[in-house]
Structure formats: structure tokens, C-alpha cells
Amino acid sequence: MDILIQLISSLSKEEQRNFKLFLNRTNSSAERKDEMLFNYIKNSYPNYDEENINKKLYYTEDKNALYRLKNRLAEDVSKSLYLLHYAISDYNKCLYYISLSHVFFNKKNKTLLQFFIKKAEVTGVQNEFYDLLIVIYNFKIKIASDFLEVSPEEFINQRNNAQKTLDKLNQIEEVVAVLSYRIRTFQLHTSSKQNKVLELLEKTIKEFSKDKTIKNSTTFKVKTYNAISRILLQKQDYVSLERYLRHTYADFKKNNLFDKNNHEVKIQLITYWINALYKNQKYYDSLKLTTELKNAIEEFNYLHYEKYLFFYYNSRIINYSTLENSFEKRVSILTEAINNHIIQKQTNHLAILYSNLALAYFDNQDYKNALRNILKLINSRHFEQLDMGFQCKLIFAELMIRFELNDIEYVSAQFLKIKRKYNAFLKLPSNSRDKDFLNLLTLLSKDYRHTKKKKLVISSLKIFTNKYSNENYNDVINYNPWIEKQIEIIKGHTTNKLQNH
């Protein structure tokens, strides 16, 4: 592995700009070989050709000079990254203060040494960086008599306390790691026992925990909750997830473990629980729990209100979308959410709400209002900020709605524009389903009414639904049910305005 190539290819645009500034801080010569090498690697990746760049830079087959340049450039890129990111987190900042304290220790500057070692300690204590605090206290023990002019006994006690805490945290990490592995590899659905996850948790704690207080540690419980809930989500085991979250929420409340510091954990847990109930088709239970979510996001003076307000609205929307005779309620919630000033600042969330409002009208066969709402989004300033995949699904939803409105001429006129704009995106293997669906729309717009081609069109539609039937897709309007409807129309089993077009 060539570390320099890995380094340069990993840089973001901001990091690249910062490196150029770092490189030219002392010499801005236009013929810098290090900058030429940097640009060559950046622009040619992943097709880096060492022979080629060596001849361009040194006009020789001997690569020793190039290797020295590469080593120096790797050092400079690393330094540039460190300077840019030293304060990106408190952990990095703490390391930075430790480094500076060592610099001034070597310079025998007592005042600045004391200043920076104190800054490091305060940062470590505030953020509970026990691994760094042990490094800090070891250093303070070493320099106590000569530079700090105090007895090292206090620092020895502080180091020992930090070590005990770190040992406990390490043990927590070990138990959680083993538990995570066991849950990932164990086939939970094979058991008829309803609380298999909880049994696995208890068994793992007994086997791997030497410290008996770990079981009741808030840190351990939060880490365990994070690990188990995410694994069960990945496995899409919503039955086990629902049971586990119900037990965990009750346990946290019973032992008063929810507080301001971990309040986001509470909100997230309720959100996961709502979604698990929804996935398990317990829609009324899920809706009932949205009241708990609303109360949670308003706690501690609306501490996480803006971040989770969308999830409150969305929790209600997904449940009402499944219940009969809930169209008006669904539209009312969506309209309220769209008009909320907090939601309006969040482009992606606003886009999801508009697409859901269009879907609500589509499901109610009010195609004009469905089209009106999808166009509000497609024609808005937000559209180009959306993920390209979501853009495609919104455009396809518009075409599906226009099919229902018998606007075939408009639909036909869009295919070339779509293919031009999204050609590179649709060519990716991961987007083959969207590409195939676009081809089906093209086929339907041309051959919908041609009796001689009925079998060909129906066959193409069935191939699509069979090919893409076993996965969950985040369509704005689900492709497969719509395609199945078109098959019935072509067969003549139902009527549609398109037949008379």
C-alpha cells in the first residue's frame, strides 16, 4: 500500500485547500516538485503511474529522488491535516495541549509548561478522557519536583483513580463487544423464547464482567442499548427490537437513569420503539407512543426540539398512512409540518414531507393535487440540493402521476431530458432498478394502446416486478403496485383514461 496515495486520495476539498496554503507558507515558487507530485496524484487517482511522474520530475529512471520527495510530501500532508483538525474535537485538542507541554518541557519554560499541562488536564477531566488523563498524570509525576514544585503524591492518586475508572470502562467495552458479536451471529428468530436478547445479555455479563457494578452502570446500559438496537435494526428483527426497547425504557425510567446529559438517548430510544411498533403493524400502539415522543422533545426547555421535531411528525404520518379513513388526518399533519418554521429550514425533511403529501393525494386518487405538490418540490430551490437518487424518484413520481392524468405527450417529452441529466447516475450498477423503471415508462408511453404488443409490454412489466420483488425500496410512489395496476389495465380487466387517449 502506498501511504502517500492513500493520504492524498482521502483529502476533502477543504483539506486540499488547506494543504496548498500549508505548502506555500514559506515558498510560493511555481516550479515546486512537491506540489507537482501532489497535483499529479490527486488528478490521476486511482491510475497513478510512478514511471510517468518520475520522468516528468527528474528525467531519469533512478527513483531515489522521487522516493525522498514522496516521503517528505507524506510528512507535509500529515502535518497539514493535524493543523487543520487539531481542534475538531476535544480529544484532539487535549492531545495538542499535551504535545505543547512536552515542547515547553524540553525548552525548560516552566510558565508555559504549567499553562499547557493544566489546559490538557482540564480538557481531559471535563470530557472524561481517562486514557489521556493517565498520560497527563504520569507526565506530572515525572516533572513534579523540578517544574511544578509540588509533591507527586496527589498526581499518583489522581492517576490511580483514573486507571481504575479506565479499567472499568475497558471492561464495559469488552462486554459490549462480545455481546454485539453474539447478537450478530445468533439466529434470534430460531428461538421460541420471547426474551432471547435479554437472556443473551444476562449470560454475557455473567461470563465476562469481573466488576459486579457494571451491570447497573449507566455508561454500560447506554452503550449496550446503542449496540443492541443498531444490530437489531440492521438485522431488521423488529420483533426482538420492540421487546428489547420496551424492557430498556422501563429499566431506565425505574432506575432514574434518564437525565439532561443523556436526554438524546431517551428521545432516540422512543423513536426506534415507535418505528419497531410500526414495522410490527401495531399502528395504534405506535401512534400512542408519539405522545411520549412529543413530551420528550419538549423536556429540558426544548433541549433537542429542533433536531427531533421532524421525527415526531414523521412518526404520526407513517402510522396514519396505513390506517383506513385517515386521509384528512394525514394531510392535516403533513400540512402542519410543512408550514412549521423549524422544518422549513431543513431541506431534506421538507422534501420528504412534500413527497409524502403528494403520495397521500395519489393514494386518494386526487391526481391533480398530487401533481401540484410534487411540482412544488421539483420546481423549488431545494430540489438541486437533494441526493440525486431522490431527485430521480421524485421525477419518476411526477411521470407516474401524469400517466394517471393521461398527459402522455408530456411524459414522452421528458425521457431524453432525464437520460441526459442522470445518465452517469443511472449507469451505476446500484441504480439498475431506476434505470429499468425509466425504460418501462418509455415502453408504456409508446405501446400502451397497441394490441399487437400487449404480450410484450405485459411480459416486460412482469419481468421487472419479479426481478425487484424481494427488497424494500424508498420510492416516492411504490413502483411495483403501480406496474401491477398497468398490467391489469392492459389486459382490459379495469378501465383507465389512457385506453381512450
Side-chain angles (χ1 to χ4, degrees):
M1 180 191 293
D2 192 316
I3 294 300
L4 177 61
I5 294 173
Q6 293 294 319
L7 271 172
I8 293 175
S9 65
S10 74
L11 298 179
S12 66
K13 289 184 178 179
E14 181 189 6
E15 290 165 343
Q16 291 174 21
R17 285 194 298 269
N18 186 72
F19 175 70
K20 293 293 183 73
L21 292 172
F22 175 86
L23 203 60
N24 294 309
R25 67 198 187 283
T26 55
N27 186 347
S28 58
S29 168
E31 294 297 323
R32 293 192 60 153
K33 284 185 169 61
D34 50 3
E35 188 168 8
M36 291 171 67
L37 177 58
F38 177 87
N39 289 333
Y40 177 79
I41 294 173
K42 176 171 68 74
N43 296 327
S44 65
Y45 181 82
N47 302 312
Y48 170 71
D49 187 334
E50 195 149 275
E51 301 288 341
N52 184 22
I53 189 60
N54 186 54
K55 289 177 182 176
K56 284 184 177 181
L57 293 175
Y58 295 107
Y59 313 100
T60 178
E61 292 185 1
D62 186 349
K63 295 182 183 176
N64 286 331
L66 177 64
Y67 294 152
R68 288 194 295 272
L69 178 65
K70 286 177 69 176
N71 288 334
R72 189 169 72 250
L73 183 57
E75 283 290 318
D76 284 343
V77 171
S78 302
K79 289 175 185 175
S80 169
L81 280 170
Y82 179 75
L83 288 173
L84 180 64
H85 292 291
Y86 86 91
I88 201 168
S89 70
D90 287 330
Y91 194 88
N92 285 2
K93 198 180 291 185
C94 190
L95 284 169
Y96 171 70
Y97 293 142
I98 292 171
S99 298
L100 283 175
S101 67
H102 279 270
V103 168
F104 291 109
F105 169 71
N106 291 328
K107 290 166 73 76
K108 302 189 185 308
N109 188 320
K110 185 186 297 185
T111 302
L112 291 175
L113 163 61
Q114 290 177 335
F115 175 79
F116 283 109
I117 198 66
K118 184 63 178 177
K119 293 272 284 184
E121 183 180 3
V122 169
T123 306
V125 170
Q126 287 177 342
N127 294 279
E128 299 181 351
F129 298 145
Y130 296 105
D131 54 339
L132 296 184
L133 285 171
I134 291 167
V135 173
I136 291 166
Y137 293 135
N138 278 334
F139 184 50
K140 292 180 83 170
I141 292 166
K142 175 182 175 181
I143 64 174
S145 57
D146 293 332
F147 286 87
L148 303 181
E149 298 175 350
V150 294
S151 168
E153 291 178 14
E154 180 184 349
F155 306 139
I156 292 170
N157 289 332
Q158 288 174 320
R159 181 195 61 188
N160 292 341
N161 289 335
Q163 185 65 61
K164 288 177 184 176
T165 305
L166 182 62
D167 288 343
K168 186 173 180 178
L169 290 174
N170 285 340
Q171 195 179 150
I172 286 173
E173 295 290 353
E174 290 167 4
V175 176
V176 172
V178 172
L179 178 63
S180 298
Y181 174 78
R182 288 184 170 186
I183 292 175
R184 284 186 193 280
T185 56
F186 195 81
Q187 297 300 313
L188 295 168
H189 286 303
T190 62
S191 173
S192 60
K193 296 181 180 179
Q194 292 191 350
N195 296 312
K196 198 65 183 178
V197 173
L198 302 177
E199 289 179 13
L200 209 54
L201 173 59
E202 290 294 329
K203 181 181 177 183
T204 306
I205 293 171
K206 287 178 182 177
E207 285 184 34
F208 291 90
S209 175
K210 299 171 187 174
D211 188 334
K212 301 303 179 184
T213 64
I214 281 182
K215 180 179 177 180
N216 296 317
S217 160
T218 302
T219 301
F220 174 68
K221 289 191 175 189
V222 170
K223 285 180 177 289
T224 301
Y225 150 73
N226 281 324
I228 294 179
S229 59
R230 285 168 184 165
I231 292 167
L232 294 177
L233 276 169
Q234 288 170 2
K235 297 182 81 167
Q236 297 184 17
D237 184 356
Y238 298 109
V239 173
S240 296
L241 180 62
E242 178 197 332
R243 291 170 183 151
Y244 173 69
L245 293 176
R246 182 186 293 110
H247 167 84
T248 302
Y249 189 69
D251 178 58
F252 271 59
K253 289 197 77 172
K254 179 182 177 182
N255 293 290
N256 297 315
L257 299 184
F258 287 129
D259 58 25
K260 187 174 181 179
N261 292 327
N262 64 24
H263 185 52
E264 191 166 9
V265 172
K266 177 181 179 179
I267 296 173
Q268 185 194 69
L269 192 157
I270 297 172
T271 305
Y272 283 172
W273 190 3
I274 288 170
N275 288 331
L277 287 164
Y278 167 76
K279 289 290 187 180
N280 294 332
Q281 300 182 5
K282 297 179 179 180
Y283 306 123
Y284 290 104
D285 289 342
S286 183
L287 271 173
K288 187 177 179 181
L289 199 58
T290 61
T291 303
E292 191 88 359
L293 178 59
K294 184 176 185 293
N295 293 335
I297 64 175
E298 293 176 351
E299 284 183 299
F300 299 109
N301 197 26
Y302 294 76
L303 180 61
H304 297 294
Y305 186 78
E306 292 198 11
K307 183 175 179 180
Y308 285 95
L309 178 62
F310 168 79
F311 295 96
Y312 164 66
Y313 279 121
N314 193 58
S315 297
R316 299 170 71 202
I317 291 161
I318 60 174
N319 282 291
Y320 277 115
S321 68
T322 62
L323 300 176
E324 292 184 7
N325 304 317
S326 61
F327 168 72
E328 291 183 3
K329 186 69 174 178
R330 187 176 166 193
V331 170
S332 173
I333 297 168
L334 281 160
T335 304
E336 179 187 329
I338 287 168
N339 291 326
N340 187 286
H341 71 281
I342 293 172
I343 300 292
Q344 287 177 351
K345 294 185 289 185
Q346 302 166 350
T347 298
N348 287 334
H349 292 164
L350 193 63
I352 291 169
L353 292 169
Y354 265 118
S355 63
N356 269 285
L357 186 55
L359 177 61
Y361 282 114
F362 183 88
D363 290 343
N364 204 47
Q365 298 184 7
D366 184 347
Y367 301 123
K368 289 185 178 179
N369 270 320
L371 181 62
R372 182 168 60 84
N373 280 285
I374 211 79
L375 288 178
K376 277 184 182 179
L377 186 52
I378 291 174
N379 296 329
S380 74
R381 60 186 174 85
H382 303 297
F383 183 73
E384 294 299 330
Q385 301 171 26
L386 300 175
D387 171 79
M388 195 161 281
F390 192 26
Q391 289 181 26
C392 277
K393 291 188 183 296
L394 288 166
I395 291 170
F396 293 166
E398 180 199 353
L399 299 184
M400 294 158 77
I401 295 167
R402 288 189 184 274
F403 259 104
E404 301 296 337
L405 290 169
N406 199 23
D407 194 356
I408 305 303
E409 185 177 340
Y410 176 89
V411 172
S412 299
Q414 298 307 302
F415 296 132
L416 189 57
K417 295 178 184 177
I418 295 169
K419 287 176 180 177
R420 281 175 182 167
K421 182 174 181 180
Y422 297 101
N423 182 52
F425 174 80
L426 293 171
K427 278 186 175 180
L428 295 173
S430 58
N431 302 318
S432 61
R433 180 172 176 268
D434 289 315
K435 181 181 178 181
D436 289 348
F437 184 68
L438 182 60
N439 290 335
L440 280 189
L441 290 175
T442 307
L443 183 66
L444 284 170
S445 67
K446 291 178 180 178
D447 300 314
Y448 207 105
R449 306 176 312 280
H450 295 183
T451 305
K452 292 180 181 179
K453 295 187 178 181
K454 271 188 178 182
K455 289 184 179 180
L456 173 63
V457 177
I458 290 172
S459 175
S460 298
L461 295 174
K462 285 184 174 180
I463 288 171
F464 181 94
T465 54
N466 290 333
K467 183 178 179 181
Y468 302 109
S469 62
N470 297 323
E471 296 182 43
N472 294 319
Y473 300 99
N474 294 318
D475 303 327
V476 174
I477 298 173
N478 196 317
Y479 297 166
N480 282 24
W482 187 81
I483 289 173
E484 287 163 3
K485 176 185 174 183
Q486 307 314 308
I487 292 173
E488 293 302 307
I489 291 169
I490 296 170
K491 286 179 177 178
H493 292 174
T494 185
T495 59
N496 187 286
K497 290 186 291 183
L498 283 170
Q499 292 174 308
N500 301 317
H501 178 69

